[in-house]
Amino acid sequence: MSPKASLSIAIAGSGGAGALTVGNLILEAASAAGWQGLLTRTVGPQIRGGEAAALIRLAAGPVECMPDQFDLLVGIDWLNAHRFGSEIPLGPDSLVIGDPRGGDRPDNFAQSGARIVDIPMKEMAKAIPDGRPNMIALGIAGQLIGIGEEALDRLIEKQLAGKGQLAIDSSRAALKAGYAAAAGLELGHRLPPPAARSARRWLASGNETTALGAIRGGIRFAAAYPITPATEILEWLAPALPKVGGSLLQAEDELAAINMIIGASFGGTPALTATSGPGLSLMIEALGLATAAEIPIVVIDVMRGGPSTGIPTKSEQADLNIAIYGLHGDAPHLVLAPQSVADCLFTAQWATYLAETLQAPAIVLSDQFVGQARAAIDRPADVAFIGQRARQTEFGETYKRYALAANGVSPMALPGARGGQYTADGLTHTEQGTPTSSAVDHQSQLDKRRDKLDRFAYGVHWATIEGDGDIAVITWGSLTGAAREAIDRAAHDGVNATLIAPRLLSPVQPDQFAAALKGKSRILVVEQTHGGQFHRYLRAHYELPGEVRVLNRPGPLPIKPGEIHAALTKWRT
Amino acid sequence: MSVVDLQRTCKPADYKSAVKPIWCPGCGDYHVLMSFTRAFAQLGLPPEQIAVISGIGCSSRIPAYTNCYGFHGVHGRSLAVAAGLKVTRPDLTVVVASGDGDGYSIGGNHFLHACRRNIDMTYVVMDNRVYGMTKGQPSPTTEPDFDTALSPGGTGLSPFHPLVIALASGANFIARCFSGEPNETADILVEAIRHPGFSFVEILSPCVTFRPDEKEWKSLVHPAPVATTNDPARAARRIMTDDGFNIGILYRGERRPYGPEFGAQAADLAELECEFEQ
Ligand SMILES: Cc1ncc(C[n+]2csc(CCOP(=O)(O)OP(=O)(O)O)c2C)c(N)n1
Ligand code: SF4
Ligand SMILES: [Mg+2]
């Protein structure tokens, strides 16, 4: 996507100014008009209230990352807006609209060379009974984006239906005043018209699509301990699970949460928990138990800045190491990562299917960016991955729960089945499940658990591979969208690159990776970590041909498509 | 189930597996195993309908010695495993087995919340006032002057009072047993399993290897002198002031057990995505 193919708008305001409401209304109205888009929010450290900014990017097609620069910034007021300075990059093409009485405008907004226009939103709102400046800001943004006034008008009526006629009338009047105030203004470029609709339209966050994907894959039990930025998954599941015959239990901590889902799955119910880094750290011992006792579970880790409490509200990809290598002993398990809000649906569903099929724990590495972003997207196509656990219901003399099956997956007896009684155990065990310290049993059970994952045919979904240039951009997770956009732009500059983004991070896929890298002479690794964890992971498991460069940075600032584009176009041989 | 089936599973021996226990000769846990199998036989439950869930410790080895479905998990987390299982499989009889280290130390937090949650299960703690499996360190119920390599001269800490904590946290049934009386213990286990909600049964079970002094328990235990109460205040006073060797059912509450409301299976998962539709 070229910079002119999209339009990016930031709405900022102090606590109670209603910037986020404006952002949500813009996304919804633009989506109803046929555009696709992404909305992220950035808030101050206060638990409730405090300054907030809504960042919106709209385009005719899918939007999977934030832009290099915002085209429009509307400050309902400027109180504490400096906190967002680095998150709202502006340039000479940008337009900044603010209230001259809204406090001191942060210097860096003007230093960017952006055009500055004053509109007295507060004063205008005062002239309207019960008028609110944020509805004037909505009108200004609506006018400049090119959203029809009637569309926002209808949306306001719908949203405020419960608040009485005065609230509706005053908001409409303020909206109208905003449209009028921005009538003579123009942005640097216009938003290309929306494409004709081919699918139903969804408005959802990555955390919500993750939760739905998990249910579609078969999840019917969840255990919950709240943590930012994963809580929305659990809160979405709480009312949804009972509708499909499932249930959710609030746990006393993450140690309980993961052991609860292990208990549920032992009983035959596909089960999930969702957490972030601090919670994942507490779950590690039990993940090893699920590996050893071969109990399928799904753990969603919505990554935030770390280590320790880190930055709870901002994204990072630095849980890669703990997810892949954190378990003690040799403990093969599944690690997957979704690449966009739409892909959260697929990846959570596929992870559930794989965990159930392979009787192994699956960790899904989502992140704050994709988890809490709201997206207007085409409804993703349905996929057929539904967890089917191999089960045994008829038993002979001795049932071997951990029989050395050819594909490593031994059929499971569920409690209640007569003759299938066994004890699931984290101790090294025989094929029957009896504890042992025999070298032969230890080796053969370790082989079994490795082979069942290694020998499985994961198919094309293991990675996103696009293009055929001789530079490979290798990235993962929510950076995939930025890398795709950068590659697309580089192609217009005559630089051909290939995107390789593994969705399945563990077990590694050496043959498929080698095939994807065939003929590449240069490799650019892109990741959101301080320590280059993904680069080291690639080095450990794959042969990387030619010259390798790494573009890595920790959170909280996302890596922008322009930075990847610059790394590609500057890299001329 | 037919009458023939019932008879088939009515002998204690039907609930015992062929796996040979690793316990020291004379360990109290052998008797606890005997009480389990006797109680299951008295209840006439088919072994496959029972799940015995445990953590780590000598006492936690018990599941594999039964002929039920068993789960031998990680140290201290058995109650959480059991909660996930029982909530999703209310048809099963869930019995949780633990030790004083597993249940009161590393698993202490889960103990509080399991009592409070009151899911229908029976929690058996084999209390030997020592970490048996790791060879003799003090546990939360160990006396302050118990001298060990890890606590030279004793910990100087007063022991934790599991029954009072269970009562204060909301357990719905509280009993104390002595492993050396397997018939009485079996009878109490039967009551505990039948009682709805979270039943807590503390079994004094001597560790003959690291606490040979506990062989004396035989002469110290005595039946509780008063009848079971359903009044938590009375139960609290009794439990707080007894000598710790009172055997019997000390409290029988009337709280409604926790159980999630299961919705009917939706005809179509598509209903769930409605809220995303624009
Ligand atoms: C996480 C963890 N920490 C420590 C241990 C070591 N460990 C095994 S059993 C045990 C104590 C068991 O004591 P208790 O529950 O009283 O059981 P007992 O052996 O006395 O029956 C400990 C500390 C472990 N297995 N896991
Ligand atoms: S160490 Fe103690 S508790 Fe463990 S088996 Fe031996 S006697 Fe029993
Ligand atoms: Mg003990």
Side-chain angles (χ1 to χ4, degrees):
Chain A
M1 186 156 59
S2 76
K4 293 211 157 68
S6 71
L7 205 63
S8 300
I9 308 101
I11 312 285
S14 58
L20 300 180
T21 307
V22 175
N24 276 309
L25 288 168
I26 291 174
L27 182 71
E28 197 169 338
S31 172
W35 283 294
Q36 302 197 37
L38 198 63
L39 163 71
T40 64
R41 4 181 307 166
T42 166
V43 291
Q46 300 85 346
I47 302 299
R48 205 173 190 125
E51 61 281 5
L55 313 181
I56 309 130
R57 190 177 185 204
L58 304 170
V63 182
E64 295 179 346
C65 64
M66 279 298 159
D68 298 333
Q69 258 178 32
F70 282 82
D71 302 298
L72 171 65
L73 164 62
V74 182
I76 303 169
D77 61 54
W78 296 123
L79 303 173
N80 288 328
H82 62 275
R83 290 225 173 105
F84 307 129
S86 58
E87 292 176 65
I88 308 176
L90 300 168
D93 293 339
S94 313
L95 174 63
V96 176
I97 295 179
D99 191 324
R101 298 232 192 111
D104 294 335
R105 187 180 55 237
D107 291 340
N108 56 330
F109 292 150
Q111 280 158 8
S112 68
R115 252 182 325 142
I116 310 277
V117 170
D118 284 336
I119 297 183
M121 289 174 256
K122 211 168 171 178
E123 214 173 277
M124 289 162 64
K126 267 205 190 121
I128 300 164
D130 260 13
R132 300 208 351 119
N134 72 328
M135 288 296 123
I136 302 210
L138 177 65
I140 293 169
Q143 173 73 278
L144 287 164
I145 299 165
I147 300 173
E149 191 181 332
E150 329 69 61
L152 276 166
D153 203 75
R154 274 199 305 276
L155 206 54
I156 286 174
E157 183 165 3
K158 195 178 97 191
Q159 300 238 322
L160 297 182
K163 300 214 166 160
Q165 199 55 42
L166 176 62
I168 294 175
D169 290 346
S170 61
S171 290
R172 279 175 158 170
L175 181 78
K176 200 174 166 82
Y179 265 89
L185 295 169
E186 285 279 352
L187 292 177
H189 68 275
R190 298 194 69 81
L191 181 60
R197 273 237 204 138
S198 54
R200 272 141 69 195
R201 176 50 54 89
W202 275 11
L203 266 178
S205 73
N207 278 343
E208 291 169 344
T209 54
T210 298
L212 177 62
I215 290 188
R216 285 193 181 172
I219 294 294
R220 290 296 180 274
F221 176 75
Y225 194 79
I227 186 167
T228 305
T231 309
E232 297 92 3
I233 296 179
L234 303 163
E235 288 178 340
W236 196 90
L237 287 171
L241 279 168
K243 288 185 194 153
V244 293
S247 61
L248 176 141
L249 204 51
Q250 186 175 341
E252 52 272 30
D253 55 30
E254 287 88 346
L255 302 162
I258 188 147
N259 282 283
M260 283 171 173
I261 65 171
I262 289 173
S265 182
F266 168 70
T269 307
L272 162 154
T273 187
T275 188
S276 191
L280 181 66
S281 300
L282 291 179
M283 293 178 182
I284 292 295
E285 186 196 19
L287 276 160
L289 169 63
T291 303
E294 302 198 48
I295 297 183
I297 50 168
V298 177
V299 175
I300 313 281
D301 172 22
V302 187
M303 294 182 287
R304 63 193 220 180
S308 191
T309 312
I311 311 183
T313 53
K314 303 283 179 186
S315 212
E316 203 165 70
Q317 293 185 313
D319 293 355
L320 180 69
N321 277 352
I322 187 177
I324 296 182
Y325 309 114
L327 283 63
H328 69 268
D330 287 309
H333 58 280
L334 297 152
V335 181
L336 300 93
Q339 303 180 339
S340 65
V341 170
D343 192 45
C344 283
L345 183 86
F346 172 80
T347 301
Q349 182 171 351
W350 194 42
T352 306
Y353 162 80
L354 290 176
E356 287 289 317
T357 305
L358 296 167
Q359 297 182 16
I363 300 175
V364 177
L365 290 177
S366 178
D367 64 29
Q368 184 275 334
F369 175 77
V370 77
Q372 293 193 321
R374 251 192 123 56
I377 50 175
D378 280 345
R379 180 187 183 281
D382 289 335
V383 292
F385 293 111
I386 294 170
Q388 287 290 351
R389 206 182 293 184
R391 284 185 46 193
Q392 189 161 334
T393 48
E394 311 258 321
F395 306 92
E397 265 307 287
T398 44
Y399 164 56
K400 292 184 172 174
R401 163 66 187 103
Y402 301 107
L404 300 174
N407 64 358
V409 178
S410 33
M412 196 166 176
L414 298 183
R418 166 165 294 186
Q421 293 100 301
Y422 74 100
T423 293
D425 210 318
L427 279 167
T428 289
H429 41 256
T430 64
E431 288 183 84
Q432 274 103 311
T434 311
T436 175
S437 44
S438 126
V440 174
D441 287 318
H442 191 54
Q443 172 88 39
S444 58
Q445 291 291 321
L446 286 170
D447 287 349
K448 168 193 199 290
R449 298 195 293 256
R450 178 199 56 203
D451 292 347
K452 70 178 180 180
L453 295 194
D454 281 358
R455 290 184 186 158
F456 188 75
Y458 296 91
V460 296
H461 302 295
W462 80 275
T464 293
I465 301 171
E466 293 165 4
D468 56 4
D470 69 342
I471 305 185
V473 178
I474 311 181
T475 191
W476 70 286
S478 71
L479 279 179
T480 305
R484 179 181 287 122
E485 180 168 334
I487 290 170
D488 190 43
R489 275 152 64 177
H492 288 107
D493 302 319
V495 178
N496 266 332
T498 302
L499 172 67
I500 304 178
R503 186 179 283 105
L504 180 68
L505 294 158
S506 182
V508 290
Q509 303 295 304
D511 295 344
Q512 282 85 340
F513 217 99
L517 284 177
K518 207 161 172 220
K520 308 297 175 222
S521 57
R522 285 172 289 167
I523 286 170
L524 178 66
V525 178
V526 183
E527 59 175 305
Q528 188 98 48
T529 70
H530 183 256
Q533 295 183 18
F534 183 58
H535 173 228
R536 287 166 202 275
Y537 154 87
L538 292 171
R539 290 282 193 195
H541 301 290
Y542 301 120
E543 243 9 279
L544 301 184
E547 194 189 337
V548 179
R549 291 188 186 176
V550 184
L551 172 57
N552 68 303
R553 180 169 68 221
L557 295 182
I559 294 179
K560 296 196 271 294
E563 294 174 80
I564 306 170
H565 173 254
L568 284 174
T569 49
K570 278 196 209 119
W571 195 357
R572 303 213 184 245
T573 40
Chain B
M1 217 173 53
S2 71
V3 178
V4 181
D5 280 340
L6 262 175
Q7 280 169 349
R8 193 186 70 86
T9 56
C10 263
K11 299 188 303 296
D14 293 328
Y15 299 88
K16 234 184 137 280
S17 79
V19 180
K20 195 175 159 313
I22 57 158
W23 295 322
C24 310
C27 176
D29 296 348
Y30 283 104
H31 287 114
V32 177
L33 176 59
M34 211 183 280
S35 322
F36 270 39
T37 58
R38 285 181 193 178
F40 296 160
Q42 269 189 57
L43 287 161
L45 289 166
E48 68 272 12
Q49 291 295 337
I50 305 171
V52 184
I53 313 291
S54 73
I56 298 290
C58 298
S59 38
S60 289
R61 288 292 191 122
I62 205 165
Y65 307 148
T66 75
N67 186 32
C68 305
Y69 277 91
F71 192 99
H72 184 217
V74 292
H75 195 23
R77 317 293 166 213
S78 55
L79 285 170
V81 172
L85 178 62
K86 181 66 188 182
V87 160
T88 51
R89 290 290 308 273
D91 56 310
L92 299 173
T93 296
V94 175
V95 176
V96 187
S98 187
D100 43 311
D102 189 73
Y104 304 150
S105 189
I106 192 166
N109 191 35
H110 309 306
F111 179 39
L112 303 183
H113 294 279
C115 293
R116 182 171 79 97
R117 211 174 268 124
N118 198 33
I119 294 174
D120 186 24
M121 59 174 75
T122 297
Y123 184 40
V124 177
V125 178
M126 291 164 245
D127 190 352
N128 53 15
R129 304 187 182 170
V130 73
Y131 287 16
M133 178 146 277
T134 47
K135 304 196 189 311
Q137 300 79 20
S139 85
T141 47
T142 303
E143 302 79 348
D145 57 351
F146 183 61
D147 185 42
T148 78
L150 193 61
S151 58
T155 60
L157 301 174
S158 20
F160 171 102
H161 204 320
L163 282 74
V164 179
I165 288 164
L167 184 71
S169 309
N172 211 27
F173 178 104
I174 297 171
R176 187 189 283 120
C177 302
F178 173 53
S179 63
E181 299 169 342
N183 285 332
E184 290 81 347
T185 302
D187 290 346
I188 289 180
L189 285 174
V190 166
E191 296 285 313
I193 291 169
R194 282 197 179 132
H195 194 74
F198 187 80
S199 299
F200 171 54
V201 181
E202 151 114 339
I203 304 184
L204 300 174
S205 179
C207 171
V208 292
T209 303
F210 298 105
R211 298 294 309 257
D213 54 307
E214 291 175 351
K215 290 180 190 156
E216 292 304 306
W217 282 357
K218 208 168 32 232
S219 55
L220 294 176
V221 295
H222 54 85
V226 283
T228 307
T229 174
N230 62 359
D231 173 6
R234 284 181 89 164
R237 187 146 15 89
R238 281 186 199 165
I239 297 170
M240 286 291 276
T241 53
D242 75 12
D243 61 358
F245 292 97
N246 251 3
I247 303 302
I249 299 168
L250 304 172
Y251 174 70
R252 202 193 266 277
E254 282 148 21
R255 287 179 62 206
R256 211 164 65 89
Y258 173 87
E261 309 279 319
F262 289 97
Q265 177 86 32
D268 191 354
L269 284 190
E271 214 182 280
L272 291 180
E273 67 182 70
C274 283
E275 66 179 89
F276 298 162
E277 297 273 347
Q278 206 187 12

